[in-house]
Amino acid sequence: MKIKASFKSLPTSASHNCFACSPKNAAGLKMQFFTDNESVFSRVTIPAHLCGWNNVSHGGVISTILDETMGWATMYLLQCISLTQTMSVAFKKPVRIGGLMEVESKILELKGKREAIADGVLTDADGKVCATSIGTFTTFSPAVAKRLKIADEKMLDWYYRLFETP
């Protein structure tokens, strides 16, 4: 796996119920994120209740994992709030329920002041690529996100703590 002990752990917030990253969502993925300041990574084991066909993960769950990691990459690496505009996923290999997976995302391109292109790669424990994605994200400053009611004070307090140095 690519995640190393030297990578910075990015704290998730327990003050929301995000299906992908909230540690308190009982039905969720409880994703945790790490960075080497060039990419964002996560390890995830897809639980049995998210099974699709015959112990294979549902494609929507795989898409969620990729989307969430690209979103965190956009948020952390560009220091902005972001929302997915478009996303495409290529499914390369079945993803088995219960297997440890790793996902990596990085920023590929900035398009003007308000768009970013990110990619994602989901690999299995053997390092084999199971799915890839590319997404376009609309980016917002924290002030604009607050004005548009995309983020509230509680979320922004957590967001600013992401960038504090310990």
Side-chain angles (χ1 to χ4, degrees), residues 24-25 49 61 67 77 79 89 92 95 100 119 121 125 129 143:
K24 75 174 192 175
N25 186 327
H49 72 273
V61 174
D67 181 45
L77 298 173
Q79 296 190 11
V89 178
K92 310 281 187 180
V95 174
L100 181 64
D119 75 346
V121 178
V129 175

Side-chain angles (χ1 to χ4, degrees), residues 32-109:
Q32 296 178 317
F33 297 92
F34 304 86
T35 186
D36 63 0
N37 292 317
E38 293 179 17
S39 295
V40 168
F41 303 85
S42 184
R43 283 191 185 125
V44 63
T45 300
I46 301 170
H49 72 273
L50 298 177
C51 185
W53 182 264
N54 203 27
N55 290 321
V56 173
S57 177
H58 191 281
V61 174
I62 294 167
S63 297
T64 297
I65 291 167
L66 289 160
D67 181 45
E68 188 74 2
T69 307
M70 290 188 299
W72 273 75
T74 304
M75 177 178 61
Y76 184 77
L77 298 173
L78 299 178
Q79 296 190 11
C80 66
I81 307 294
S82 67
L83 293 174
T84 309
Q85 244 183 59
T86 64
M87 177 181 161
S88 63
V89 178
F91 300 96
K92 310 281 187 180
K93 180 179 180 285
V95 174
R96 300 280 172 209
I97 294 298
L100 181 64
M101 306 300 295
E102 187 167 286
V103 61
E104 175 182 2
S105 180
K106 62 183 176 293
I107 305 302
L108 298 177
E109 178 184 356

Side-chain angles (χ1 to χ4, degrees), residues 89-164:
V89 178
F91 300 96
K92 310 281 187 180
K93 180 179 180 285
V95 174
R96 300 280 172 209
I97 294 298
L100 181 64
M101 306 300 295
E102 187 167 286
V103 61
E104 175 182 2
S105 180
K106 62 183 176 293
I107 305 302
L108 298 177
E109 178 184 356
L110 297 175
K111 294 177 76 175
K113 294 180 181 179
R114 299 206 175 140
E115 283 187 350
I117 309 295
D119 75 346
V121 178
L122 181 71
T123 55
D124 64 17
D126 296 325
K128 294 183 179 157
V129 175
C130 296
T132 60
S133 62
I134 190 159
T136 301
F137 291 79
T138 302
T139 60
F140 304 90
S141 70
V144 170
K146 182 178 177 184
R147 190 181 81 234
L148 295 174
K149 298 183 181 180
I150 295 167
D152 60 16
E153 282 299 324
K154 195 176 203 180
M155 187 270 191
L156 291 176
D157 287 343
W158 166 82
Y159 168 81
Y160 287 123
R161 286 194 306 274
L162 279 176
F163 307 107
E164 293 175 354

